[in-house]
């Protein structure tokens, strides 16, 4: 445990509204699960905070106690990490986090190799890859957690998306100018059924290695894809408590929102 | 006048007539005319005797434009404007078609046009604005503008193209920085909230993209300062040199509307100079009605229904701050057409906690389920989900007959709902705003 006050047990940086917690008619007695949101100020331009809110709420509804750490550039690293989230940002946001990300690089690679579930969206997906090559040809190295390389592109890939993934159909919205290519042997996160995906031509979207998922999908991706959310939580809870004991959650709204988009986009 | 311009005007006017008879939208006639003569704007607006004022920014364009026009008209000026909130270039041309003769002469002293950030540049490339009033930069329709920084650059370029004077928001660092990029000799005016209420600004701004090191510019050049009254309803605009406009109670509620009034007053003061009269200005601000769907109050069988347009996180947050403190029966309608913004991710950058006490009666629109799901994550109870707007409106009116009601709605859902309400309750049609 670090001595930073925000790392105290049960100290929630982004508290759940009391009424959301109250929606859970189960006690929070299955243990704490610590979520780290990387750079929520600089890298969460398209509602990516909703992913963190979704996971924290679902943990509570499943009977766990969520602890959310908002990690800002230069701040001490949280003492306990069971799941890591990152979102999309602007070029200026990426510049602001670069130094801190380099400082945390070894730690993040270690956590990823150790099976900590991670969800990296858009800009952070690119930064978790091997490199980003700008339109001018400059090569900016990434963390290399995922074997993907992204090239700056003149045309943006924008629009609603439906994927086939290991977690079933996944819906979301992409908005990226980078074209990403998977390295040999790198598994994608999903196959594109509607939308552009990694580079608009190879039919893949995102990348997945173990419990680390990179994807371009905003939406935000988790609320309307509860099976994906629970897939990440299962890995996090097993790591944190040694077990995964989900409760029954009423996902009527999520399944309707999901099904509506799937039907609309696939016809 | 060039024959091509005359031909464009004739074709545009014909399209406008057809479009009006069919009760259709306001953009098509402009598109027709622009196709025939791409130089149409320059040939008609370029010779306005007192110039062309562009109002742009993410939030408050329509309201601020309407206020500025009212202020200028109260001083006896004849103003051409695009009053419908159709803030693409072709919307300006469509409005122009109603006022211009085939020879291209507009019977006005100056033009005040509202343009979105991208179209403001398209416009400025054809007609150099003499004046620009730049309001704010926030996340809005990122599927179109891609990045906030990009939006800020668009407005900076607009500022650079302006020849006479600009009025900038001192409280928005994206806007205040534009001062460094103006042409030499361009007059700079400012608007800001009074330091005594600066702590209320975060409720209007994108805290997560603003950083502590950015400070408010030194206002030695003098700023129009907003001073809200204790009761929260009235406000005073304090002008440099010690004169006050107000206290005045606006017809539209909330801090955002007051800031819009301050911005409009600052621009009117710059345009009018010594002939600016505080009493006429106060009267104009007190009587100008909210534009369609922007806090517009519709009389539904003796009870008020407020129609509140929401398009982006800052705007929705402001709307909830303005209205959320007085809970009434609420419906939220979210579409994801191009004009709404096709990505609904932004709903997760808004906190809906103020709706928790009363709940939301219905969500509607193409993304009704996503909206209901969003509310669930803020602990707000939703009565019903009905994606069809007509059925939802019928149901909402029936469920809450005789009670005050409020509808928060994205753009195309607002246009649809207002048309239905206009048919049922006899309102003015779009483009025929009686108070404009």
């Amino acid at each position: 445990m670090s001595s930073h006050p925000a790392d105290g047990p049960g100290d929630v940086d982004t508290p759940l509204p009391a009424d959301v917690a109250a929606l859970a008619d189960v006690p929070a007695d299955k243990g704490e699960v610590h979520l780290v949101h990387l750079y929520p100020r600089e890298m969460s331009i398209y509602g990516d905070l909703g992913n963190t809110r979704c996971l924290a709420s679902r943990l509570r509804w499943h009977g766990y106690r969520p602890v959310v750490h908002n990690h800002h550039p230069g701040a001490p690293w949280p003492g306990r990490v069971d799941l890591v989230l990152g979102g999309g940002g602007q070029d200026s946001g990426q510049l602001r986090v670069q130094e801190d990300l380099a400082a945390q690089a070894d730690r993040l690679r270690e956590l990823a190799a150790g099976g900590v579930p991670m969800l990296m969206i858009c800009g952070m997906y690119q930064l978790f890859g091997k490199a980003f090559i700008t339109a001018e040809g400059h090569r900016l190295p990434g963390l290399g957690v995922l074997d993907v390389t992204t090239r700056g592109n003149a045309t943006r890939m924008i629009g609603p998306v439906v994927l086939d993934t290991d977690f079933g159909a996944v819906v979301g919205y992409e908005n990226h100018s980078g074209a990403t290519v998977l390295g040999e042997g790198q598994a994608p996160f999903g196959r594109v059924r509607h939308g552009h995906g990694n580079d608009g031509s190879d039919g893949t979207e995102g990348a997945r290695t173990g419990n680390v998922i990179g994807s371009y999908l905003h939406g935000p991706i988790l609320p309307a894809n509860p099976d994906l959310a629970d897939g990440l939580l299962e890995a996090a809870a097993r790591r944190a408590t040694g077990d995964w004991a989900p409760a029954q959650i009423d996902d009527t709204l999520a399944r309707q929102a999901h099904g509506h988009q799937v039907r609309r986009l696939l016809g | 006048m060039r024959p091509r311009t005359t031909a464009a005007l004739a074709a545009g006017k014909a399209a406008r007539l057809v479009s009006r008879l069919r009760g259709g939208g306001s953009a098509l006639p402009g598109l027709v005319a622009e196709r025939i003569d791409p130089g149409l704007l320059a040939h008609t607006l370029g010779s306005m005797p007192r110039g062309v004022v562009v109002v742009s920014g993410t939030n408050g364009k329509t309201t601020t434009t309407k206020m500025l026009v009212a202020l200028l008209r109260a001083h006896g000026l004849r103003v051409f404007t695009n009053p419908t909130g159709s803030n693409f270039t072709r919307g300006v041309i469509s409005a122009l078609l109603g006022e211009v003769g085939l020879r291209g002469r507009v019977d006005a002293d100056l033009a005040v046009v509202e343009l979105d950030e991208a179209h403001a540049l398209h416009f400025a490339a054809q007609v150099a604005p003499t004046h620009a009033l730049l309001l704010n930069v926030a996340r809005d329709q990122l599927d179109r503008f891609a990045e906030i920084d990009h939006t800020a650059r668009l407005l900076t370029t607009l500022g650079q193209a302006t020849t006479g004077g600009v009025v900038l928001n001192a409280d928005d660092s994206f806007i205040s920085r534009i001062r460094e990029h103006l042409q030499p000799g361009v007059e700079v005016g400012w608007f800001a909230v009074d330091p005594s209420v600066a702590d209320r600004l975060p409720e209007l701004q994108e805290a997560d993209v603003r950083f502590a090191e950015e400070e408010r510019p030194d206002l030695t050049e003098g700023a129009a300062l907003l001073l809200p009254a204790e009761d929260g309803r009235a406000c005073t605009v304090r002008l440099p040199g010690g004169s006050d406009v107000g206290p005045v109670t606006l017809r539209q509620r909330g801090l955002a509307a007051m800031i819009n009034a301050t911005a409009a007053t600052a621009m009117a003061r710059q345009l009018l100079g010594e002939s600016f009269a505080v009493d006429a200005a106060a009267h104009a601000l007190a009587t100008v009605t909210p534009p369609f769907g922007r806090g517009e109050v519709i009389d539904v069988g003796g009870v008020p229904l407020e129609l509140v347009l929401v398009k982006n996180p800052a705007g929705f947050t402001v709307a909830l701050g303005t209205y959320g403190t007085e809970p009434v029966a609420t419906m939220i309608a979210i579409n994801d057409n191009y004009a709404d913004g096709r990505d609904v991710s932004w709903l997760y950058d808004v906190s809906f906690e103020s709706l928790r006490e009363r709940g939301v009666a219905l969500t509607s629109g193409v993304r009704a389920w996503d909206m209901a799901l969003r509310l669930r994550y803020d602990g707000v109870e939703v009565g019903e989900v009905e994606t069809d707007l007509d059925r939802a409106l019928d149901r909402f009116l029936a469920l809450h007959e005789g009670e005050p009601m409020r509808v928060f709605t994205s753009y195309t859902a607002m246009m649809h709902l207002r048309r239905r309400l206009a048919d049922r309750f006899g309102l003015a049609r779009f483009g025929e705003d009686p108070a404009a």
Side-chain angles (χ1 to χ4, degrees), chain A residues 18 25 28 56 71 77 97 101 109 115 125 130 134-135 139 147 156 169 189 204 209 217 226 259:
Chain A
D25 38 19
H71 177 70
W77 185 253
V97 308
L101 192 61
R109 281 192 283 259
Y125 165 42
K130 277 175 107 166
T134 65
R139 186 186 170 88
D147 183 9
R156 279 189 99 80
F189 167 54
T204 68
T209 299
L217 298 201

Side-chain angles (χ1 to χ4, degrees), chain B residues 171-256:
Chain B
D171 295 319
D172 186 312
S173 54
F174 285 121
I175 298 294
S176 64
R177 268 182 261 148
I178 292 174
R179 173 173 57 170
E180 295 151 27
H181 302 278
L182 300 172
Q183 293 177 34
V186 166
E187 188 182 349
V188 182
W190 297 97
F191 67 95
V193 302
D194 189 83
S196 64
V197 287
D199 61 335
R200 288 185 60 193
L201 279 174
E203 70 191 71
L204 303 179
Q205 290 182 341
E206 296 276 306
D208 54 351
V209 295
R210 283 170 166 70
F211 296 88
E213 70 262 30
E214 288 168 342
E215 283 190 12
R216 189 157 132 148
D218 170 25
L219 296 176
T220 45
E221 288 161 277
L225 290 178
L226 167 69
L227 199 58
E230 293 287 326
D231 66 2
R233 285 293 283 129
C235 66
T236 299
V237 178
R238 188 150 286 172
L239 292 169
S243 54
D244 284 354
V245 175
V248 53
T249 300
L250 305 173
R251 299 271 182 106
Q252 201 175 355
R253 292 196 284 169
L255 185 61

Side-chain angles (χ1 to χ4, degrees), chain B residues 229-373:
Chain B
E230 293 287 326
D231 66 2
R233 285 293 283 129
C235 66
T236 299
V237 178
R238 188 150 286 172
L239 292 169
S243 54
D244 284 354
V245 175
V248 53
T249 300
L250 305 173
R251 299 271 182 106
Q252 201 175 355
R253 292 196 284 169
L255 185 61
M258 293 179 187
I259 292 175
N260 293 337
T262 308
T265 304
M267 188 78 246
R269 177 74 176 73
Q270 187 182 81
L271 289 163
L272 291 158
E274 290 309 307
S275 56
F276 182 88
V278 290
D279 292 343
H283 183 257
L285 290 177
T287 47
V288 65
T289 53
F292 287 148
R294 277 95 173 161
E296 183 187 16
V297 181
I298 294 167
D299 182 343
V300 172
V303 293
L305 181 150
E306 285 166 324
L307 206 51
V308 185
L309 176 67
V310 291
K311 328 185 266 188
N312 53 50
F316 210 150
T317 300
V318 167
L320 288 168
T322 305
Y323 298 97
T325 47
E326 290 170 42
V328 299
T330 299
M331 169 171 146
I332 304 181
I334 302 292
N335 278 351
D336 66 355
N337 297 314
Y338 182 75
D340 300 290
R342 294 177 63 205
D343 183 6
V344 293
S345 299
W346 65 275
L347 293 171
Y348 283 82
D349 289 320
V350 179
S351 168
F352 293 95
E353 286 170 37
S354 62
L355 296 175
R356 204 180 292 153
E357 185 188 330
R358 173 88 196 228
V360 168
L362 275 118
T363 62
S364 185
V366 176
R367 302 307 288 267
W369 290 105
D370 295 270
M371 187 64 232
L373 178 61

